[in-house]
């Protein structure tokens, strides 16, 4: 099998429990029959949290999406292709663990198709900004897929050099969300 | 319907994209990481990367598909075959998200997908069934009693089964209880549903199916039969129409039964009623396939009706614009499935990069494929590379044409093997050539008993 180069969030450990939690959340929502302000389902370390700031806001992402031209969203340069470009040009073959360079950026990529949010709620400050130092496991954004909010975490520590997608943008699986450079605080 | 998302891959994704394009409907392909170089991605107006190679996280992952449709503004979803094509939950989620699911309503898929419920429904519609249980058999002793009453051999089938999986043939009563326990456990593992039922097994039978089309206004027609008796472990290798040697009045009775069954089920869309025809010429209902089938081009070449186009028109709310009497089947059609498998090594998958890929051509030849020179055959999915079809006025001419086309068809690359040489052996088989073969033909040719 021609496996793609390992991408940071390619196999999140929470995947299977997350699917179960997500299922529970969907069922719970269905049984409620109305939209709550907050829904939080947690099993062990895995949790799904959904907040509806106000009733109208729940439909807003759909409206935003309907108007986006997907051609502009990276179909010309799919993320995996770009990823391999980033990983291949190490002519000396070294895995460059301790040799930071300008094009040595690492990326946090989208674990699923959906809408990317940089902040926990509209108007809130973003999870991270350029220049921030993040630790492994730190939440850097949210992807909404089918009305479920999936927390996106950095898989490794680093300094944020770019936030590559804007708040509310539709993303595909594997698309780069955040660029990280080596950089202890 | 302005933009269709094709929730599938491989040759069927290409097939659906072509039908959309001919209708002037815009298209969205979805792809996993392993399929990013696929023909479907190249052919579609837009493409969305929905997940990594494992189907569970891409082609079977409903949220990713729905989000891809939302992202691109698609208003309909074609599920192809396999994957989510017969998943009532997916059909329902599509409906809940204002997406037209191009297939039967979820309620119909659910009713017909449960084989025991489908048997009961079809028995009520007057359909002949093999002797067996109409209800799932929840206890081994109860099932054993049914098997004893039917007489051996019997076949134990998963109620939720399909695609040739979840079945066990029992030839001797002493083996029954163990086989029952195993089949039920397998059914639980494969389908999440341990319920099984028992029916008589016909060791030497013909597998014949009837294609139907139903619009959402009560219009129902059939498009004749396909014979799919050349199978290996319940996987079809060669299909044809007409069914050789079957009396016309028998085919007509099967077709009428399928039309009555479709009406009883409230069917909408393209579907297939599968039957077994025993050595005595009696036919029995097996199951309904609520999807476009791999072998649908056989019927297209014989009737001149584009089934995928009809699926799209029906899903858009249209009425069938032809009546039963307008449909005429002409000549004979053969289809061979070219898989990247090694027939000399128990049909193990033998994929790789297709350094040479030269499909057959010429008069009355059709090739449905997602292959192209340089294509690296994906390894995470099934091994079907191409469907090769020939038409001719008579079966003998269609077979000769098929052998010619198979000889032309060139596929090679490091580690790549295909079923082409084996298919030519099937064509050369005396029983097949005379149309007197049955579902045991592949075992005979490979000298290997079918271990179900």
């Amino acid at each position: 099998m021609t496996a793609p180069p390992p991408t940071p969030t390619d196999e999140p450990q929470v995947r299977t429990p997350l699917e179960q939690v997500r299922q529970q959340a969907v069922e719970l929502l269905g049984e409620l029959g109305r939209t709550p302000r907050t829904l939080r389902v947690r099993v062990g370390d895995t949790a799904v949290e959904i907040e509806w700031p106000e009733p109208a806001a729940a439909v807003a992402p759909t409206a935003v999406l309907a108007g986006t031209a997907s051609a502009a969203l990276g179909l010309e340069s799919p993320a995996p292709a770009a990823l391999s470009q980033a990983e291949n040009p190490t002519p000396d073959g070294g895995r460059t663990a301790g040799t930071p360079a300008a094009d040595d950026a690492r990326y946090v990529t989208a674990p699923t198709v959906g809408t990317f949010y940089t902040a926990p709620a509209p108007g809130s400050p973003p999870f991270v900004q350029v220049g921030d130092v993040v630790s492994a496991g730190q939440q850097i954004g949210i992807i909404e897929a089918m009305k479920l909010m999936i927390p996106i975490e950095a898989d490794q520590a680093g300094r944020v050099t770019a936030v590559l997608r804007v708040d509310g943008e539709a993303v595909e699986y594997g698309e780069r969300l955040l660029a990280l450079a080596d950089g202890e605080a | 319907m302005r933009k269709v998302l094709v929730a599938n891959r491989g040759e069927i994704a290409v097939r659906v994209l072509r039908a959309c394009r001919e209708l002037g409907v815009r298209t969205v392909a979805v792809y996993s990481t392993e399929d990013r170089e696929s023909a479907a991605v190249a052919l579609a107006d837009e493409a969305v990367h929905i997940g990594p190679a494992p189907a569970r996280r891409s082609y079977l992952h409903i949220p990713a598909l729905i989000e891809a449709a939302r992202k691109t503004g698609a208003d309909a979803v074609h599920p192809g075959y396999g994957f989510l094509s017969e998943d009532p939950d997916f059909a329902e989620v599509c409906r809940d998200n204002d997406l037209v699911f191009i297939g039967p309503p979820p309620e119909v898929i659910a009713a017909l997908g449960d084989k025991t419920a489908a048997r009961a429904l079809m028995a009520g519609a007057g359909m002949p069934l093999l002797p067996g249980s109409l209800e799932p058999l929840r206890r081994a002793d109860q099932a054993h009693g049914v098997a004893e009453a039917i007489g051996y051999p019997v076949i134990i089938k998963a109620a939720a089964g399909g695609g040739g999986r979840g079945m066990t043939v029992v030839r001797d009563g002493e083996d029954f209880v163990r086989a029952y326990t195993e089949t039920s456990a397998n059914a639980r593992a494969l389908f999440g549903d341990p319920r099984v039922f028992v029916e008589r097994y016909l060791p030497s039978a013909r597998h014949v199916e009837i294609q139907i089309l139903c619009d959402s206004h009560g219009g129902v027609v059939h498009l004749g039969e396909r014979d799919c008796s050349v199978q290996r472990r319940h996987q079809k290798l060669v299909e044809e129409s007409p069914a050789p040697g079957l009396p016309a009045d028998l085919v007509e009775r099967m077709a009428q039964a399928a039309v009555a069954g479709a009406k009883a089920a409230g069917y909408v869309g393209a579907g297939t009623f599968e039957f077994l025809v025993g050595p005595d010429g009696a036919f029995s209902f097996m199951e309904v396939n609520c999807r476009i089938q791999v072998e649908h081009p056989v019927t297209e070449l014989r009737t001149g009706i584009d089934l995928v186009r009809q699926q799209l028109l029906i899903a858009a709310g249209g009425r069938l614009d032809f009546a039963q009497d307008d449909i005429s089947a002409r000549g004979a059609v053969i289809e061979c499935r070219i898989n990247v498998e090694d027939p000399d090594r128990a049909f193990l998958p033998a994929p790789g990069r297709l350094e040479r890929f030269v499909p057959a051509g010429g008069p009355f030849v059709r090739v449905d494929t997602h292959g192209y020179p340089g294509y690296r055959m994906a390894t995470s999915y099934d091994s079907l590379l191409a469907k090769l079809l020939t038409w001719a006025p008579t079966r003998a001419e269609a077979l000769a044409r098929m052998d010619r086309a198979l000889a032309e068809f060139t596929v090679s690359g490091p580690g790549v093997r295909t079923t082409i040489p084996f298919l030519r052996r099937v064509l050369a088989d005396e029983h097949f050539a005379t149309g007197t073969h049955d579902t045991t033909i592949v075992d005979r040719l490979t000298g290997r008993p079918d271990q179900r």
Side-chain angles (χ1 to χ4, degrees):
Chain A
M1 189 174 98
T2 55
T7 53
T9 48
D10 203 34
E11 294 289 341
Q13 289 153 354
V14 295
R15 176 51 61 176
T16 309
L18 179 60
E19 280 171 356
Q20 293 167 357
V21 173
R22 176 192 299 184
Q23 176 78 23
Q24 287 296 322
V26 170
E27 285 173 13
L28 200 57
L29 256 186
E31 285 166 17
L32 283 176
R34 62 180 182 84
T35 307
R37 282 187 59 86
T38 317
L39 179 69
R40 195 170 291 129
V41 180
R42 172 182 295 276
V43 178
D45 290 334
T46 309
V48 166
E49 298 186 18
I50 318 175
E51 283 182 31
W52 288 262
E54 51 192 276
V59 276
T62 315
V64 170
L65 274 175
T68 38
S70 54
L73 295 181
L75 282 178
E76 294 82 3
S77 58
L83 250 187
S84 46
Q85 280 162 22
E87 300 232 344
N88 289 338
T90 47
D92 46 343
R95 256 296 155 188
T96 65
T99 56
D103 54 356
D104 225 15
R106 291 163 287 126
Y107 298 95
V108 178
T109 59
T112 186
V113 191
T115 306
F116 179 58
Y117 296 110
T118 55
S124 302
F127 288 102
V128 292
Q129 288 177 293
V130 172
D132 287 357
V133 172
V134 297
S135 53
Q138 181 177 336
Q139 184 169 1
I140 61 94
I142 293 171
I143 287 183
E144 179 188 10
M146 287 187 78
K147 301 190 173 74
L148 289 174
M149 299 297 176
I150 303 162
I152 310 302
E153 296 172 353
D155 70 310
Q156 54 194 317
R159 185 171 43 80
V160 178
T161 56
V163 179
L164 301 164
R165 290 286 175 263
V166 300
D167 191 60
E169 194 172 350
V171 296
E172 301 186 12
Y173 169 79
E175 263 188 60
R176 293 164 170 189
L177 306 174
L178 211 66
L180 297 177
D182 288 338
E184 301 299 313
Chain B
M1 194 185 292
R2 290 192 306 276
K3 191 187 273 192
V4 171
L5 181 141
V6 183
N8 214 301
R9 63 172 305 282
E11 68 85 19
I12 192 63
V14 170
R15 170 72 187 89
V16 174
L17 291 170
R18 285 175 168 152
C20 291
R21 185 146 291 187
E22 289 177 14
L23 276 168
V25 175
R26 294 190 61 79
T27 54
V28 180
V30 296
Y31 62 100
S32 72
T33 305
E34 195 177 10
D35 280 335
R36 74 171 84 107
E37 310 274 307
S38 71
V41 169
L43 202 61
D45 294 317
E46 297 170 63
V48 180
H49 190 190
I50 49 164
R56 190 176 57 82
R57 292 189 51 203
S58 49
Y59 300 106
L60 289 171
H61 191 41
I62 293 176
L65 294 163
I66 299 295
E67 286 299 322
R70 203 198 302 270
K71 180 179 190 296
T72 52
D75 49 13
V77 174
H78 195 302
Y81 51 68
F83 293 129
L84 294 168
S85 60
E86 292 176 283
D87 182 335
D89 292 341
F90 182 54
E92 195 170 341
V93 171
C94 285
R95 186 162 69 186
D96 292 348
N97 283 274
D98 296 324
L99 294 165
V100 174
F101 177 81
I102 300 170
E107 299 76 17
V108 173
I109 300 177
L112 295 177
D114 182 322
K115 288 193 176 185
T116 51
R119 273 169 66 84
L121 180 64
M122 291 307 150
M127 191 85 82
L129 302 180
L130 285 168
S133 55
L134 280 179
E135 301 287 326
L137 302 166
R138 292 171 192 280
R139 295 197 325 272
D141 56 340
Q142 177 198 13
H144 197 183
V146 171
E148 296 286 333
I150 297 169
Y152 296 94
V154 297
I155 185 163
I156 308 173
K157 293 184 178 178
R165 301 187 305 167
M167 302 190 276
T168 311
V169 175
V170 182
R171 297 171 198 279
D172 191 318
E174 287 180 12
D175 303 330
F176 185 86
V177 172
R178 188 176 49 82
Y180 171 91
T181 310
E182 280 176 12
T183 309
S184 178
N186 279 341
R188 184 192 294 276
L190 282 171
F191 313 111
D193 180 349
R195 294 174 307 138
V196 298
F197 66 101
V198 173
E199 67 182 22
R200 174 171 292 160
Y201 179 65
L202 300 179
S204 167
R206 295 274 288 277
H207 177 119
V208 181
E209 59 191 26
I210 302 288
Q211 175 72 51
I212 54 151
L213 278 176
C214 311
D215 66 26
S216 54
H217 308 279
V220 180
V221 296
H222 74 81
L223 290 90
E225 84 281 23
R226 295 184 291 256
D227 188 315
C228 313
S229 300
V230 182
Q231 304 187 0
R232 181 185 163 271
R233 299 196 183 186
H234 304 287
Q235 302 296 327
K236 298 163 187 170
L237 297 174
V238 180
E239 297 100 345
E240 62 182 306
S241 187
L246 239 55
D249 69 306
L250 172 60
V251 173
E252 180 58 26
R253 279 187 287 126
M254 290 165 68
Q256 290 311 322
V259 166
K263 286 180 175 163
Y267 201 90
V268 178
T272 300
F273 280 70
E274 294 195 343
F275 298 96
L276 280 181
V277 178
D280 56 353
F283 72 93
S284 317
F285 168 78
M286 266 205 305
E287 63 183 61
V288 184
N289 297 133
C290 296
R291 58 170 192 270
I292 193 74
Q293 284 195 279
V294 176
E295 62 271 26
H296 75 274
V298 172
T299 300
E300 294 183 325
L301 289 196
R302 193 146 178 260
T303 62
I305 292 170
D306 181 332
L307 289 170
V308 179
R309 180 190 183 89
Q310 292 301 323
Q311 282 191 298
L312 294 164
L313 295 173
I314 289 168
R319 289 175 185 275
L320 293 172
D321 60 0
F322 47 85
Q324 189 66 58
D325 290 345
D326 299 328
I327 301 168
S328 61
R330 293 183 59 241
V333 182
I334 313 285
E335 174 179 277
C336 284
R337 297 193 191 187
I338 298 176
N339 298 333
V340 285
E341 293 171 356
D342 188 346
D344 296 328
R345 294 178 54 219
F347 292 86
L348 280 175
R353 206 176 109 87
L354 311 181
E355 289 189 341
R356 293 194 71 208
F357 182 81
V358 186
F364 304 101
V365 172
R366 168 171 168 176
V367 180
D368 280 24
T369 182
H370 57 298
Y372 58 83
Y375 174 61
R376 182 176 293 280
M377 191 79 190
T379 55
S380 302
Y381 316 105
D382 67 63
S383 58
L384 179 64
L385 171 62
K387 302 182 305 203
L388 175 62
L389 294 104
T390 57
W391 182 93
T394 66
R395 184 173 189 265
E397 290 163 283
L399 289 176
R401 183 164 274 156
M402 177 58 78
D403 192 60
R404 182 271 290 173
L406 283 169
E408 281 178 18
F409 209 126
T410 307
V411 182
S412 66
V416 175
R417 298 283 179 281
T418 74
T419 46
I420 289 173
F422 180 78
L423 291 164
R424 295 190 70 190
R425 281 172 57 199
V426 172
L427 296 195
D429 179 74
E430 186 188 332
H431 294 280
F432 183 78
T434 54
T436 54
H437 62 292
D438 58 35
T439 47
T440 62
I441 178 172
V442 175
D443 294 340
R444 253 192 320 101
L445 288 175
T446 55
R448 220 179 270 274
D450 200 349
Q451 306 291 331
R452 272 166 245 267

